[in-house]
Amino acid sequence: VGFYFVFILGLDWRIGAFHFEDVLLDYDVAMNYGNWVVVSEVDKSSRGAHGFTTVEDLAAWKMEEFEWKLSAEKKNDPTGEYLRRWLPELQKLDAKHIHEPWAMSEELMTRCGCVLGRDYPMPLGGPFRMREEVSEEEERRLHPNDSSGNRYTYKEFIDFAMKRGYDANFGKKCWEEAQPIARTLQEENQQLRQQLQAA
């Protein structure tokens, strides 16, 4: 919740901590505020040095990490038992859709009695994807000044810039200068894998 609140919605962590203070059943001041500080990376020396000027850029930088967190939750609760207990709106959803109700068709939403925007909120900051399903499709680019031939994701370009003391705009510039891997190259790679497995 905290990661989504801070890095995807771009909200001040203290608002979340204040809200949790009011609604947590097992509230503890040290645990609540301590967890919010850690999750929102207030304790990191690079906090605020990322150089993002918009919430959208910050969210794009953290999106992959957030989607991995969603995937981990799905693995921890594959049947959705925990979600059904605390989110009665999702009671009738099958395990396939309980972790991502936004992926259901409108017909299925109606049948389950869980229409997004009416019975359950639309996701803010999405659409989100489960990482185990898209890791092969993540766009990667090759920078013309990188002689290694390695290809990197948008987040990896941003992380590269920040590790070298630059702000996120430098990483974004590198991403824009880099050449996307042709879709046909990815398809050829997949085809070669299939041939090797068949052999």
Side-chain angles (χ1 to χ4, degrees):
V1 172
F3 191 91
Y4 172 78
F5 191 86
V6 172
F7 292 113
I8 303 303
L9 299 180
L11 299 171
D12 188 316
W13 69 272
R14 293 169 293 190
I15 298 169
F18 296 152
H19 178 69
F20 272 36
E21 187 173 341
D22 288 338
V23 299
L24 281 179
L25 299 176
D26 60 347
Y27 177 74
D28 175 83
V29 68
M31 292 299 294
N32 183 47
Y33 285 91
N35 284 332
W36 276 95
V37 163
V38 170
V39 167
S40 61
E41 300 179 7
V42 171
D43 59 328
K44 302 288 190 247
S45 59
S46 63
R47 177 76 175 160
H50 50 63
F52 292 115
T53 56
T54 67
V55 171
E56 291 79 16
D57 285 345
L58 178 64
W61 180 54
K62 289 288 193 176
M63 182 64 76
E64 181 180 1
E65 189 174 346
F66 178 70
E67 289 175 342
W68 278 113
K69 290 177 189 302
L70 280 180
S71 299
E73 290 304 317
K74 185 176 181 179
K75 286 181 182 173
N76 290 333
D77 183 25
T79 63
E81 180 182 343
Y82 181 84
L83 291 176
R84 283 187 186 86
R85 177 177 179 183
W86 296 104
L87 299 168
E89 304 89 345
L90 303 181
Q91 284 288 331
K92 296 179 184 173
L93 272 63
D94 60 20
K96 179 180 177 184
H97 294 106
I98 189 104
H99 291 278
E100 45 187 334
W102 54 86
M104 293 189 301
S105 68
E106 287 188 34
E107 178 187 340
L108 187 55
M109 286 183 201
T110 303
R111 248 188 299 140
C112 294
C114 183
V115 176
L116 295 184
R118 185 187 76 198
D119 306 307
Y120 190 76
M122 295 289 287
L124 299 174
F128 303 111
R129 303 172 296 175
M130 295 297 156
R131 280 282 131 188
E132 70 271 9
E133 297 171 6
V134 297
S135 58
E136 288 292 319
E137 297 174 12
E138 187 71 37
E139 183 179 1
R140 294 181 169 274
R141 295 186 181 184
L142 172 65
H143 195 275
N145 296 337
D146 186 350
S147 59
S148 72
N150 292 329
R151 288 138 172 92
Y152 304 98
T153 64
Y154 177 78
K155 184 178 185 312
E156 289 170 329
F157 274 99
I158 300 296
D159 289 343
F160 168 83
M162 292 182 63
K163 284 179 186 172
R164 282 155 184 78
Y166 298 101
D167 68 15
N169 290 324
F170 179 74
K172 191 175 180 180
K173 179 179 178 271
C174 291
W175 171 259
E176 290 166 357
E177 293 170 348
Q179 300 298 313
I181 299 174
R183 187 71 188 151
T184 55
L185 181 61
Q186 290 179 343
E187 289 169 356
E188 285 176 25
N189 187 16
Q190 184 65 27
Q191 187 176 14
L192 284 172
R193 285 183 186 177
Q194 289 172 349
Q195 289 172 353
L196 286 171
Q197 289 174 350

